[in-house]
Amino acid sequence: MELDGRIAVVTGAASGMGLAAVKALAGAGATVYGMDLRQEDLDREFAGLERVRGHAADVSDSAAVNRVFDRVREDHGRLHVLVNAAGVATPNRAKQAWVDGINHRMTESFKSGEPYHPEFLDGISDEDFDRVVAINLNGTFYTIRAAVPLLKQSGSGSIINFASVAGLIGLPMPAYYPASKAAVVGLTKAVAAELAPFGIRVNALAPAGIRTAMLTASGDDHVQALLSLQPLKRLAEPDEIGRTVLFLASDAAGHYTGQTLAPSGGALML
């Protein structure tokens, strides 16, 4: 699966699955523009990588997103691949700690056999909900909108959006995350239908347990809760997801569009 001469943009590029996607695409010969919040993180992670350029931008800021794509237009005048890997599970660290505490109590209740019914709704502010949606959904829309003129210039292309298995099955968790990820699936289908006449394919990935810093920072309770949903009792490695991104970006996936692939260890079986 060679991508020699192709141009790609990856969001959430400085860590986890986004970084794995950058490495997979660049390893196949693509020139990759990686976006993340902090330039120092991009510079550190991209050191030694060929054909990879880092640009700090918040995907929830449409003007910042447009500036990165303006740079791609100035440098190349075209684009072949867009990977939307930027995303958050909670709006901030304080809320992550709140969620982790509830997950811990759920795990302990399972072990003891005592009933425990988590309640999240009353703890979600307007600002919490808006912030997660702004990154996970709005940011995906902003990058797609900015990328499409460049993809059309190429005459074909591939967009890969990161959803989540949480957006496809019912799980007790703060509603902003599954709501935003389910919306990414709907966005993927609508855009796939619109862009098919231009040879641009649009697909989504809906992972479950992936060994990323965002997941493992939540503690072993959260990891074990995820694994309890999966017939395959292990976390996937980010580079496994990177190889799936490479497949969807390549000509080998030429007849895939509007699809949601779930590398979920069997948590979702269609």
Side-chain angles (χ1 to χ4, degrees):
M1 291 183 281
E2 295 299 321
L3 299 180
D4 289 344
R6 300 190 192 184
I7 313 301
V9 172
V10 179
T11 71
S15 64
M17 292 179 283
L19 180 57
V22 168
K23 292 179 177 178
L25 296 171
T31 295
V32 183
Y33 289 72
M35 296 168 57
D36 215 304
L37 280 174
R38 289 174 289 274
Q39 190 66 45
E40 58 267 29
D41 294 341
L42 291 162
D43 293 342
R44 181 185 66 251
E45 298 298 337
F46 291 175
L49 296 179
E50 297 182 5
R51 298 179 301 279
V52 177
R53 308 170 187 183
H55 294 274
D58 182 345
V59 295
S60 68
D61 180 344
S62 63
V65 167
N66 290 341
R67 285 193 291 271
V68 175
F69 285 89
D70 286 343
R71 180 60 184 271
V72 176
R73 182 178 294 103
E74 292 169 6
D75 291 348
H76 303 283
R78 66 193 192 284
L79 181 69
H80 302 92
V81 179
L82 169 63
V83 180
N84 281 306
V88 294
T90 58
N92 53 54
R93 291 182 180 178
K95 285 299 172 133
Q96 186 61 60
W98 170 64
V99 173
D100 290 345
I102 293 176
N103 286 337
H104 177 72
R105 290 194 292 276
M106 279 197 291
T107 301
E108 290 302 308
S109 73
F110 293 152
K111 292 177 182 177
S112 66
E114 295 293 324
Y116 174 69
H117 304 291
E119 297 182 51
F120 293 102
L121 287 172
D122 286 347
I124 300 173
S125 68
D126 294 356
E127 293 77 14
D128 291 343
F129 198 93
D130 290 346
R131 180 58 182 162
V132 173
V133 170
I135 296 169
N136 293 355
L137 176 60
N138 296 4
T140 299
F141 168 71
Y142 295 152
T143 58
I144 292 172
R145 183 176 60 186
V148 164
L150 290 166
L151 290 163
K152 287 180 177 178
Q153 283 295 113
S154 300
S156 64
S158 175
I159 298 173
I160 300 131
N161 299 322
F162 273 69
S164 170
V165 74
L168 300 174
I169 62 177
L171 296 172
M173 64 190 309
Y176 40 62
Y177 184 74
S180 66
K181 292 300 188 177
V184 167
V185 173
L187 176 65
T188 296
K189 292 178 180 179
V191 176
E194 179 177 341
L195 297 182
F198 302 95
I200 301 168
R201 299 177 291 106
V202 190
N203 294 289
L205 288 178
I210 312 298
R211 195 183 305 280
T212 64
M214 186 169 75
L215 174 61
T216 57
S218 296
D220 190 59
D221 286 342
H222 189 198
V223 172
Q224 293 306 315
L226 279 175
L227 292 180
S228 71
L229 302 172
Q230 300 180 192
L232 297 179
K233 301 299 183 185
R234 69 172 180 87
L235 297 178
E237 300 299 328
D239 68 311
E240 295 181 79
I241 307 304
R243 291 193 293 271
T244 305
V245 168
L246 177 58
F247 165 70
L248 289 173
S250 74
D251 295 341
H255 219 241
Y256 285 78
T257 198
Q259 303 302 305
T260 299
L261 280 67
S264 63
L268 177 67
M269 296 187 182
L270 297 177

